[in-house]
Structures are given as structure tokens and as C-alpha cells.
């Protein structure tokens, strides 16, 4: 049995590893929905202020700019452009909008200052949520805390200069405390999410390592046991096993060395994986043997699959090893089967293929009088 070369090992891809594209698509849809709602609110508030007053320079002049930002960002996302650019534009635009509100609060009349500051705090909450999507929990905390300190200090600076204190404007104090509590809660949720995902990722990695063959990247025998057991737990449904053995594999190791033998195993695994349906499972059974699990296949159908796999292995020479062939045994599930009996019939069929001259497919039957491997 070839000794795996540990230098060849790369961590297996976790199940759902292609889910990055799915997650990005979900974020795009979420952002587009938020931009649509935000643009509608900005336009409505601007129209009401323009038509009825009272005069509010922030609404009249900053809201149109924010509306243009929403429309540009939506167009950017709909054209499939990089998501990170849109996120940064929205982030910077909202930071500038909050700064504008706070600057106006310094010079605005008392009641206007209260309104400007109050709306800025809710923008700050939304901005903090976005910062936790863009940055680490620590980085987002620093951004949120810095902006919150600015949003607390600036309006009170203007009010104190007018001789007003916290007791004179309890509503502003209440809004500031509420906003601070929400920001603390956001950080707590982000911290929990970050540690939860880290632990989950480590657990999935360990699970994948426990079920993956290090050399070929295929499911190992432990994972194949589970795949076969799932089929046995659904009686009445057709299913087949194919046991595939690379012919004269010991000779490859003897002539070319174990590194070449390992390369042949890895290339054979790739060929098998590319020739099967997405619902089929191919794994390394041990040494130069591979087990293919075919749910929904009867014996004639599995025999056709086995012939296709045999041709796939022998279709072109293997790098450094030259032509390689394979023998395959097919076994259909029978009522009352357990894993050992089912695999044993596939093993018997494989030995028959070996005894008949190799590079062929046989269907499960009585064992031959003599069994010769290689």
C-alpha cells in the first residue's frame, strides 16, 4: 500500500465552500432592498420639506446628495461591479452625512439642533451595522465608538456655549443613551458571531479532515461507510456499488517509486470524480481501490457507469507512469443487505474481473476458486 506523501496534502474544501458566491449574491439583494427603501424615504422627506417647510438646510441640500449616492450604488450593484467598492462609498457617504448633521447642530437653534442630533444617532446605528460587515469586530467597534463620541460631544458643545446643560434637554440625553446601548448590543452580537463562526469553521474543518483522504481529496472509508448506510436505510430504492482496483499498481510503485504511485492515485481520483453524476459518491476504499456509490442505479445501469469509468482510466497515459488500466466489480443492493454483505459481493465481482484478465467489468456472483490481486 503506498505511503501518502504528506507534502502533497492540502486542506479539503469544506462542504459549501462555493457558498461565497451565494453569500455575496444575498448581500447584493439585501443592499439593493435597503437602498430602495432609503432612496424612497430621502425623496419623500425632501419633497415634504420643500413643499411645506420648515426650512431645514440638511434635508434640502444633503438629502439630494444621499439620494444620488443611493441611485449610483444601486446601478453599480445591478451591473455586477465589485461589492466592496459600493460598501465603501456608502460608508464614507454616511460618515460625511453624520459629520454634516453634527456641524449644523453646532450652529442651529436649540430645537433644530435636537432634531439634527437625533436623526444622526439613527444614521450612526445603521452605519455601525455596515461597519461590522466591512471590518473586524474590533475595527468596527473603534469606528462606532469614535463616531458616537463625536455625535455626543459636538451638539453639547454648541448647547453648553449657549448656557444649556443635560437637565435642560432630557430628550437629547435619552436619545444618546439609547443609541449608546444599541451600539454596545451590536458589538456584543458581532463578537458572538465572530467567535461562533470561528468555532463552527474549526469544527467543520476537523470533520472534513476526518472524512477526507489526504492524498486524493476524496471521501475516505469512514465517509463511504456513512454513504452506504444511508442507502441501506432506504429499502426498496435501487442502488449499486462499484469497487474499482487499479491493475498492477504494485508494479508502478516498484518501477517508478511511491511518489509516482501517489500521483497516479490522485490523477485517477480526479478522472473518476469528473466522470460521475453529482449524486454519486466516489471515495478511496484503501490502497489502490476506490468505491463508487450509485443511488438510484440498477445493475445494468451501474454496469454502463463502470464501463465508462474503466474507459476513463485507460483513455490516456498517466504522467510519469504511462498507461494504467482498472478492473471493476458491480453489486446491486438486495433486500436484507448490510454493508459487509453488499461490499463483499462487489469484492467478489472485482476478483472475477481480475481473474478474467483485468481491465474489465464484472457483476457480483459466486467467488472464484483462487483470488489474485495486483
Amino acid at each position: 500500500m503506498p505511503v501518502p506523501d504528506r507534502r502533497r496534502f492540502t486542506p479539503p474544501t469544506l462542504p459549501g465552500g462555493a457558498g461565497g458566491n451565494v453569500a455575496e449574491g444575498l448581500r447584493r439583494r439585501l443592499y439593493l432592498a435597503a437602498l430602495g427603501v432609503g432612496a424612497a424615504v430621502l425623496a419623500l422627506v425632501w419633497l415634504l420639506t420643500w413643499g411645506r417647510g420648515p426650512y431645514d438646510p440638511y434635508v434640502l441640500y444633503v438629502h439630494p446628495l444621499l439620494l444620488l449616492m443611493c441611485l449610483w450604488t444601486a446601478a453599480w450593484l445591478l451591473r455586477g461591479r465589485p461589492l466592496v467598492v459600493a460598501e465603501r462609498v456608502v460608508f464614507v457617504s454616511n460618515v460625511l452625512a453624520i459629520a454634516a448633521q453634527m456641524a449644523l447642530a453646532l450652529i442651529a437653534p436649540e430645537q433644530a439642533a435636537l432634531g439634527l442630533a437625533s436623526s444622526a444617532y439613527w444614521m450612526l446605528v445603521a452605519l455601525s451595522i455596515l461597519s461590522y460587515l466591512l471590518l473586524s469586530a474590533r475595527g468596527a467597534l473603534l469606528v462606532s465608538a469614535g463616531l458616537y463620541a463625536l455625535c455626543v460631544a459636538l451638539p453639547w458643545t454648541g448647547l453648553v456655549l449657549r448656557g444649556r446643560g443635560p437637565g435642560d434637554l432630557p430628550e437629547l440625553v435619552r436619545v444618546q443613551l439609547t443609541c449608546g446601548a444599541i451600539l454596545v448590543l451590536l458589538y456584543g452580537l458581532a463578537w458572538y458571531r465572530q467567535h461562533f463562526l470561528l468555532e463552527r469553521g474549526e469544527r467543520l474543518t476537523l470533520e472534513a479532515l476526518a472524512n477526507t483522504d489526504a492524498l486524493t481529496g476524496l471521501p475516505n472509508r469512514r465517509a463511504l461507510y456513512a454513504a452506504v448506510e444511508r442507502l441501506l436505510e432506504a429499502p426498496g430504492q435501487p442502488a449499486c456499488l462499484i469497487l474499482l482496483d487499479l491493475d498492477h499498481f504494485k508494479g508502478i510503485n516498484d518501477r517508478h517509486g511511491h511518489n509516482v504511485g501517489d500521483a497516479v492515485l490522485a490523477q485517477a481520483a480526479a478522472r473518476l470524480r469528473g466522470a460521475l453524476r453529482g449524486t454519486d459518491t466516489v471515495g478511496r476504499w484503501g490502497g489502490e481501490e476506490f468505491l463508487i456509490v450509485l443511488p438510484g442505479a440498477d445493475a445494468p445501469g451501474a454496469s454502463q457507469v463502470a464501463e465508462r469509468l474503466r474507459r476513463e482510466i485507460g483513455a490516456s497515459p498517466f504522467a510519469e507512469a504511462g498507461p494504467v488500466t482498472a478492473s471493476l466489480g458491480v453489486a446491486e443492493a438486495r433486500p436484507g443487505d448490510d454493508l459487509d454483505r453488499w461490499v463483499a459481493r462487489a469484492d467478489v465481482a472485482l476478483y472475477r474481473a481480475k481473474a478474467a484478465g483485468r481491465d474489465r467489468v464484472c457483476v457480483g456472483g459466486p467467488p472464484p476458486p483462487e483470488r489474485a490481486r495486483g
Side-chain angles (χ1 to χ4, degrees):
M1 177 177 179
V3 178
D5 183 357
R6 298 297 180 188
R7 295 170 297 178
R8 293 179 180 271
F9 173 74
T10 54
T13 302
L14 294 178
N21 291 333
V22 175
E24 181 175 322
L26 179 61
R27 285 171 68 182
R28 284 180 183 272
R29 292 192 293 271
L30 179 63
Y31 289 161
L32 286 170
L35 288 167
V37 173
V41 170
L42 289 168
L44 180 61
V45 172
W46 186 85
L47 289 172
L48 290 175
T49 302
W50 179 267
R52 299 181 182 179
Y55 175 76
D56 185 337
Y58 177 80
V59 173
L60 292 177
Y61 301 115
V62 177
H63 274 210
L65 296 176
L66 291 175
L67 180 59
L68 288 175
M69 179 272 297
C70 289
L71 296 176
W72 178 89
T73 306
W76 181 273
L77 293 176
L78 288 171
R79 292 166 66 185
R81 297 295 183 86
L83 191 61
V84 66
V85 175
E87 290 173 329
R88 289 174 179 173
V89 168
V90 172
F91 184 83
V92 172
S93 299
N94 279 275
V95 169
L96 294 175
I98 292 173
Q101 284 178 299
M102 290 297 102
L104 289 171
L106 276 173
I107 59 176
E110 186 174 294
Q111 290 304 315
L114 176 60
L116 285 166
S118 298
S119 62
Y121 293 123
W122 304 124
M123 285 190 67
L124 174 58
V125 170
L127 186 62
S128 296
I129 294 173
L130 181 59
S131 68
Y132 283 110
L133 294 174
L134 295 174
L135 309 171
S136 65
R138 179 179 176 81
L141 173 64
L142 293 175
V143 170
S144 299
L147 289 173
Y148 179 71
L150 183 68
C151 290
V152 170
L154 285 180
W156 281 114
T157 299
L159 292 169
V160 168
L161 291 175
R162 301 170 193 171
R164 308 291 281 174
D168 298 319
L169 289 171
E171 184 177 349
L172 180 58
V173 175
R174 179 179 59 80
V175 172
Q176 290 174 340
L177 292 176
T178 302
C179 179
I182 293 174
L183 294 180
V184 171
L185 177 61
L186 282 176
Y187 173 72
L189 292 174
W191 182 90
Y192 173 77
R193 175 181 175 274
Q194 181 173 317
H195 285 74
F196 171 77
L197 291 178
L198 180 63
E199 291 178 3
R200 181 174 180 271
E202 291 175 347
R203 185 172 67 252
L204 289 176
T205 299
L206 290 174
E207 183 179 341
L209 289 172
N211 290 282
T212 303
D213 176 62
L215 177 63
T216 63
L218 295 178
N220 59 15
R221 184 180 285 236
R222 180 174 182 266
L224 289 170
Y225 283 155
V228 175
E229 289 291 351
R230 283 194 295 271
L231 293 182
L232 292 173
E233 291 170 0
Q237 298 296 321
C240 284
L241 297 180
I242 300 174
L243 196 58
L244 179 150
D245 186 89
L246 298 179
D247 296 326
H248 303 296
F249 188 76
K250 183 177 182 299
I252 295 174
N253 280 331
D254 291 343
R255 288 193 305 275
H256 304 288
H258 287 285
N259 285 341
V260 173
D262 288 351
V264 168
L265 290 173
Q267 293 171 49
R271 294 187 186 187
L272 295 174
R273 187 163 39 202
L276 292 170
R277 304 172 300 175
T279 55
D280 302 330
T281 301
V282 55
R284 189 179 179 193
W285 191 243
E288 65 272 22
E289 287 187 340
F290 298 87
L291 183 71
I292 298 96
V293 183
L294 303 176
D298 57 13
S303 297
Q304 293 178 5
V305 173
E307 283 290 348
R308 185 170 73 245
L309 296 179
R310 183 188 66 80
R311 292 193 298 270
E312 186 68 27
I313 292 294
S316 57
F318 283 69
E320 302 182 55
V324 176
T325 61
S327 301
L328 302 92
V330 178
E332 187 173 13
R334 296 176 182 173
D337 262 346
D338 59 16
L339 186 147
D340 290 337
R341 282 197 291 267
W342 194 6
V343 174
R345 289 203 308 279
D347 196 45
V348 166
L350 173 61
Y351 278 117
R352 288 178 57 206
K354 292 284 188 182
R358 299 179 177 84
D359 190 21
R360 66 192 64 232
V361 174
C362 286
V363 180
E370 293 185 2
R371 297 185 173 187
R373 288 279 186 176

